[in-house]
């Protein structure tokens, strides 16, 4: 695939409808034959047809765009990794807290059950004492 490089010895000059930087690469079909002839006729411009597979035709803008794209890709990958790690950490914390609360609940229920058994034993003892006292009082009369 070919590109056309326009080199301008006085960056900022206007030719063929645009202001030109010191160097720029364009798709081969960007300029008509008439426009290329105008560039060739002007000593301030040099026109080169280059094979982009054999020569680097990247501009500073292309390079910055490639770097920005790669940085964005890496940031997105890191963000996804951090979000997944955070989600796992939250899930693990929820599981741990749930287990802790269940153990506390089970312990509280066990303690309440033991208190209930003790209270029932005490009630049984008091009821027996009351019944014995009633029998004794009835027998003494």
């Amino acid at each position: 695939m070919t590109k056309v490089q326009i080199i301008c010895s006085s960056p900022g000059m206007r030719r063929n409808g645009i202001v030109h930087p010191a160097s720029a690469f364009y798709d081969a079909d960007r300029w008509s034959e008439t426009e290329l002839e105008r560039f060739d006729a002007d000593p301030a411009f040099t026109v080169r047809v280059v094979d982009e597979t054999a020569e680097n035709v990247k501009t500073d803008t292309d390079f910055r765009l490639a770097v920005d794209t790669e940085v964005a890709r890496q940031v997105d990958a890191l963000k996804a990794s951090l979000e997944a790690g955070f989600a796992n950490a939250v899930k693990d914390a929820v599981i741990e807290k749930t287990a802790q609360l269940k153990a506390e609940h089970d312990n509280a229920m066990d303690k309440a059950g033991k208190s209930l058994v003790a209270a029932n034993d005490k009630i049984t003892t008091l009821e027996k004492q009351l019944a014995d006292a009633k029998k004794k009082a009835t027998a003494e009369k």
Side-chain angles (χ1 to χ4, degrees), residues 5-15 18-24 26 38-48:
Q5 180 183 22
I6 305 292
I7 301 168
C8 179
S9 61
S10 297
M13 289 182 68
R14 186 173 192 80
R15 288 292 179 277
I18 66 169
V19 175
H20 293 273
S23 175
Y26 302 95
R38 285 187 202 140
F39 283 125
D40 282 333
D42 190 329
F45 290 91
T46 302
V47 176
R48 292 181 60 231

Side-chain angles (χ1 to χ4, degrees), residues 115-129:
S115 293
L116 180 61
V117 168
N120 283 336
D121 288 345
K122 192 170 190 177
I123 290 170
T124 302
T125 301
L126 291 172
E127 285 175 341
K128 185 176 181 313
Q129 288 175 355

Side-chain angles (χ1 to χ4, degrees), residues 128-141:
K128 185 176 181 313
Q129 288 175 355
L130 180 60
D132 289 346
K134 281 183 182 179
K135 280 184 190 174
K136 186 178 178 185
T138 305
E140 290 179 358
K141 286 189 181 183

Side-chain angles (χ1 to χ4, degrees), residues 100-110:
Q100 176 191 355
L101 291 173
K102 183 178 181 329
E104 289 173 4
H105 175 264
D106 290 348
N107 290 339
M109 291 301 293
D110 187 47

Side-chain angles (χ1 to χ4, degrees), residues 62-137:
D62 294 333
F63 178 75
R64 284 189 201 107
L65 180 62
V67 168
D68 290 347
T69 300
E70 179 59 17
V71 166
R73 185 194 67 75
Q74 288 185 21
V75 165
D76 287 345
L78 182 57
K79 176 183 170 191
S81 173
L82 290 172
E83 286 174 346
F86 180 75
N88 285 336
V90 167
K91 182 178 105 184
D92 291 346
V94 166
I95 289 169
E96 185 178 323
K97 187 64 174 179
T98 302
Q100 176 191 355
L101 291 173
K102 183 178 181 329
E104 289 173 4
H105 175 264
D106 290 348
N107 290 339
M109 291 301 293
D110 187 47
K111 184 178 178 182
K114 288 177 181 176
S115 293
L116 180 61
V117 168
N120 283 336
D121 288 345
K122 192 170 190 177
I123 290 170
T124 302
T125 301
L126 291 172
E127 285 175 341
K128 185 176 181 313
Q129 288 175 355
L130 180 60
D132 289 346
K134 281 183 182 179
K135 280 184 190 174
K136 186 178 178 185

